[in-house]
Amino acid sequence: MPHQNRMATQTPSVEQALALLSVGDAERAAAMLRTLLREDASDAEAWHAMACVARAGGDAQSAVALAGRAIGLRPEGHFHITLAHALLEQEHAEPARAAAHVAVMATPRDPRAHEVMAACLEALGRVQDAELALRTALRLRPLDCEKHLSLAACLARQGKVTEALQVSEKALRLAPDTIFAHNQHALLLERAGRMREAAPFFAVVAEAFPQDAAALANYGAALFAQGAFEKARVVLQDSARRVLDAPETRTNLGLVQMALGALDAAEQELGAALSARPQDARLAVNYGTVLADLGRRQEAEALFRQVESGQASEQDRARARFNLGTVLLAEGRFEEGWQAFEARQSLLPASQTEGLPHWDGTATGGSPVLLYAEQGLGDTLQFLRYVEPALDHAPVLLAVPEALRSLVARMEFVSGGRVMLLQKGQTARSVGAVACCSLLSLPACLGLSEPYPWRQMVCLPGAGGRLPEENGQLSAYGPEGLPAASPVSKPLRAGLCWAGNPGYRFDRRRSLAPACLAPLADVPGVVFQSLQRDHAVADLPFPATPLPEGDLLSTACLMAGLDVVITVDTVIAHLAGVLGKPVWLLNRFGGDWRWAEGSSRPVPGGERANLWYPSLRLFSQPVYGEGNGPWAEPVQAVADALCKLVKM
């Protein structure tokens, strides 16, 4: 008996050959099959196995011939499956479909037959039929993770990403330890615009393949989307070291460095990405963005114009034109800047404008035009001034976010009955609106070449009344941002806002840690009022009164009783500016276009005053950098200015 067992194990078989093939040993598998065929040339299974070996080696032509020989000896369904795959690999989609059809007819309960049929149908452009074939395969094996993944991938290729994610989630529940399932689910989340949610799935893949540059790059990109910038930087640097010429990785690493304030490193990475792929318009726009932040606006402008006039996609041209607009506005070249700024419309989600046509600024014969808010609350407050010139052309119906409604209701053009404020649940069409326009589009729509001059639109108790007859003339404000001859309280009352929305990608650069404000504690005769929502005043290095609950109107009423507002670049800066309150802006290096030189004019005493808000004074970072360091000088300058103000 032992002798017979040894002889049995030494006799080659098709099953042994296929087992060798399954572990990648194609050479030994082929040798074993050749031995079998020398002994019996009529062994159909051996010929079919040889076809499988040929496919595994990338020789589809031989695989077709070998599978055909097997079928000639015995027309088994799984032989036709292999033949269909081999024909498809040679891009013979219709003959492959015919072979798959035979397989389906011969073995209707074999899910592999339906899967190859799906591949053939999709190659022929019959994507819905391909989906049905995959659903049939899944019904035959409802607990098979791979069947769910195949269907999810097919749905994603059709653009049915939401449904693909649902199927992919089932695959993960069936096989939570399958790395490929985690990777595909993460990629689907990325495609659905949910990159933040993809991070834990990409993390599983990166942990399983710690030496794989692509796995690390995907994980780093997801961490970047989550706002975990320091961790993203480490992971992306690791990936970049493994593959030096990976433009996508270098791009993501550059954007992470930008978000952290390391602009020199960002310029190096984004420049390297563009050098590796110089014709990529998206990479050119990214590089232009960091150049603009570094103050190299001429170089940035040239790049944006190059992309705009080149062979880029419509979206890339729009990004280039929009960024060009911000550069032009920062330079004070408003007429062209407003027109280029309009490119943002094709980059933003569609606004709820009820299908109204875009208003071109012409008279409407007495019918109202819907003016609507767009983007942030600060942008809305800044551009509400353009309601006034719009009223010269048409009656106005105004739609603003709920957080601004009660404040805007106090504005003169609403409270005086010249503008109708759209109520919650009310439609613009129901009150006769015939066209619409974003508030941010009004300068371009009305053909304005300069910022519309500021005037106080909201009168609140203690807000300081209106300006003199100059109606916003810059000289009406002194060097401290105070209206001329403005009294100062004893003790001085200062409002304080030190952080913006953390969801904003570059919030790290505009917000500061409460500890950075320590120099303000050394100024005697000042009481601080927090204007910061969702942040505990206990984190401050000095006492401050918390901000009460309420909307922006309640904040405005509180602000009206303050002597000065100290804030980073958030809606608080705009609110103080709209009210005409003295506002000292802690401005990041390479700050927003509306605080740049182009939006300021010289005033007596060698100072420059902001054209948007005459009461605003800038305290800008002199250098860029990570962390709290770049804030030291502007915060100290604010402390020194407070000392002078207390002594007034």
Side-chain angles (χ1 to χ4, degrees):
M1 290 292 291
H3 177 71
Q4 290 176 350
N5 284 341
R6 283 197 300 273
M7 290 296 293
T9 58
Q10 291 172 1
T11 302
S13 69
V14 172
E15 291 74 17
Q16 288 175 328
L18 291 176
L20 288 169
L21 181 62
S22 69
V23 295
D25 195 347
E27 186 175 347
R28 286 181 62 198
M32 188 175 289
L33 291 168
R34 283 193 291 269
T35 298
L36 285 171
L37 288 169
R38 280 195 297 269
E39 294 176 0
D40 183 4
S42 64
D43 189 338
E45 290 288 354
W47 287 111
H48 171 253
M50 284 293 286
C52 294
V53 171
R55 274 196 66 217
D59 188 355
Q61 185 174 356
S62 295
V64 169
L66 291 164
R69 185 154 185 179
I71 290 168
L73 291 167
R74 192 172 78 241
E76 296 283 352
H78 62 286
F79 295 175
H80 284 90
I81 292 173
T82 299
L83 176 61
H85 278 299
L87 287 167
L88 199 58
E89 286 159 8
Q90 287 192 295
E91 300 183 357
H92 299 323
E94 181 53 39
R97 187 208 60 78
H101 178 71
V102 174
V104 169
M105 293 297 99
T107 55
R109 299 198 59 78
D110 188 338
R112 298 174 301 169
H114 297 281
E115 286 178 315
V116 72
M117 174 60 82
C120 296
L121 291 169
E122 189 166 357
L124 290 166
R126 296 167 57 182
V127 289
Q128 291 183 335
D129 291 335
E131 178 188 331
L132 291 175
L134 287 174
R135 290 189 182 279
T136 301
L138 182 58
R139 280 196 299 272
L140 292 168
R141 296 291 188 276
L143 301 181
D144 190 329
C145 170
E146 290 187 7
K147 302 296 182 285
H148 286 84
L149 293 176
S150 295
L151 177 58
C154 178
L155 291 167
R157 289 192 292 271
Q158 295 181 62
K160 301 177 181 179
V161 181
T162 301
E163 192 175 353
L165 278 167
Q166 293 171 351
V167 177
S168 181
E169 286 170 358
K170 292 180 182 178
L172 276 170
R173 288 196 294 271
L174 288 168
D177 296 329
T178 302
I179 303 303
F180 182 74
H182 284 271
N183 191 62
Q184 179 166 309
H185 193 65
L187 292 171
L188 287 172
L189 286 168
E190 180 182 11
R191 185 166 177 176
R194 296 161 57 184
M195 189 62 162
R196 293 186 177 194
E197 299 173 51
F201 302 100
F202 278 136
V204 171
V205 181
E207 185 177 356
F209 300 100
Q211 308 301 319
D212 189 288
L216 293 169
N218 286 336
Y219 182 36
L223 288 169
F224 175 40
Q226 276 191 333
F229 300 129
E230 285 87 358
K231 190 171 182 179
R233 176 164 60 184
V234 171
V235 173
L236 289 168
Q237 285 175 335
D238 191 4
S239 177
R241 280 192 295 269
R242 297 176 189 282
V243 180
L244 298 177
D245 58 346
E248 295 298 334
T249 303
R250 303 295 290 270
T251 294
N252 286 330
L253 180 54
L255 294 174
V256 166
Q257 299 283 25
M258 274 189 73
L260 288 168
L263 297 187
D264 50 352
E267 189 272 339
Q268 181 179 350
E269 295 297 337
L270 294 172
L274 182 59
S275 296
R277 199 186 292 164
Q279 303 305 316
D280 192 318
R282 182 174 54 89
L283 302 187
V285 173
N286 287 337
Y287 186 51
T289 302
V290 74
L291 291 177
D293 268 15
L294 285 165
R296 294 160 59 180
R297 294 198 192 107
Q298 288 185 338
E299 296 173 66
E301 178 181 343
L303 263 181
F304 296 146
R305 290 191 186 277
Q306 178 183 331
V307 173
E308 186 188 5
S309 61
Q311 300 299 313
S313 69
E314 183 177 343
Q315 185 178 41
D316 285 335
R317 284 199 300 272
R319 287 181 64 225
R321 183 159 177 76
F322 169 68
N323 286 348
L324 172 63
T326 62
V327 168
L328 295 172
L329 293 174
E331 296 270 317
R333 296 146 68 185
F334 291 103
E335 189 166 4
E336 184 185 1
W338 292 133
Q339 298 301 324
F341 193 60
E342 284 300 282
R344 74 191 186 284
Q345 295 281 19
S346 62
L347 302 171
L348 296 171
S351 301
Q352 299 299 316
T353 55
E354 303 176 35
L356 291 167
H358 178 69
W359 185 46
D360 61 3
T362 58
T364 60
S367 297
V369 170
L370 171 67
L371 301 183
Y372 59 90
E374 176 200 316
Q375 301 189 61
L377 299 178
D379 295 292
T380 302
L381 287 175
Q382 179 185 358
F383 282 82
L384 276 168
R385 70 189 68 208
Y386 288 101
V387 171
E388 288 288 351
L391 283 168
D392 294 336
H393 300 265
V396 167
L397 175 65
L398 186 59
V400 298
E402 191 62 31
L404 285 174
R405 184 180 301 280
S406 57
L407 175 68
V408 174
R410 294 288 189 97
M411 292 187 170
E412 186 275 330
F413 48 61
V414 175
S415 61
R418 295 189 298 132
V419 169
M420 179 180 177
L421 186 61
L422 192 68
Q423 299 303 308
K424 192 173 182 179
Q426 188 178 34
T427 65
R429 286 188 181 275
S430 70
V431 290
V434 295
C436 65
C437 184
S438 163
L439 287 168
L440 274 64
S441 293
L442 285 173
C445 178
L446 299 173
L448 302 178
S449 59
E450 292 288 335
Y452 194 73
W454 175 90
R455 73 180 186 87
Q456 191 171 308
M457 296 181 288
V458 186
C459 286
L460 299 170
R466 292 188 181 278
L467 286 175
E469 290 301 315
E470 293 91 340
N471 193 29
Q473 184 176 341
L474 300 181
S475 60
Y477 282 84
E480 305 302 326
L482 296 172
S486 173
V488 176
S489 304
K490 302 293 184 181
L492 185 140
R493 296 162 299 178
L496 197 58
C497 177
W498 58 91
N501 180 359
Y504 171 55
R505 176 177 286 185
F506 297 118
D507 183 64
R508 290 281 196 94
R509 290 170 57 195
R510 71 167 176 181
S511 298
L512 49 85
C516 295
L517 298 170
L520 305 187
D522 298 329
V523 182
V526 181
V527 293
F528 291 100
Q529 168 67 56
S530 171
L531 299 174
Q532 186 74 52
R533 294 196 182 279
D534 304 322
H535 283 73
V537 295
D539 295 335
L540 290 169
F542 45 78
T545 305
L547 178 67
E549 291 293 326
D551 60 9
L552 279 179
L553 175 59
S554 65
T555 302
C557 291
L558 178 64
M559 193 180 286
L562 301 175
D563 295 299
V564 64
V565 172
I566 303 164
T567 180
V568 294
D569 186 5
T570 72
V571 64
I572 293 298
H574 293 275
L575 181 59
V578 164
L579 296 177
K581 297 299 295 184
V583 51
W584 295 355
L585 180 65
L586 288 162
N587 190 38
R588 66 175 174 85
F589 185 94
D592 196 78
W593 59 267
R594 68 202 82 202
W595 317 129
E597 311 88 70
S599 283
S600 66
R601 294 291 183 269
V603 293
E607 297 284 334
R608 294 187 70 86
N610 184 262
L611 293 176
W612 299 103
Y613 305 114
S615 64
L616 182 140
R617 181 181 176 189
L618 283 177
F619 293 81
S620 298
Q621 292 179 344
V623 294
Y624 57 84
E626 295 186 51
N628 299 332
W631 288 116
E633 186 170 327
V635 170
Q636 185 59 54
V638 165
D640 295 341
L642 273 178
C643 286
K644 293 180 182 178
L645 203 55
V646 169
K647 296 175 183 177
M648 288 180 64

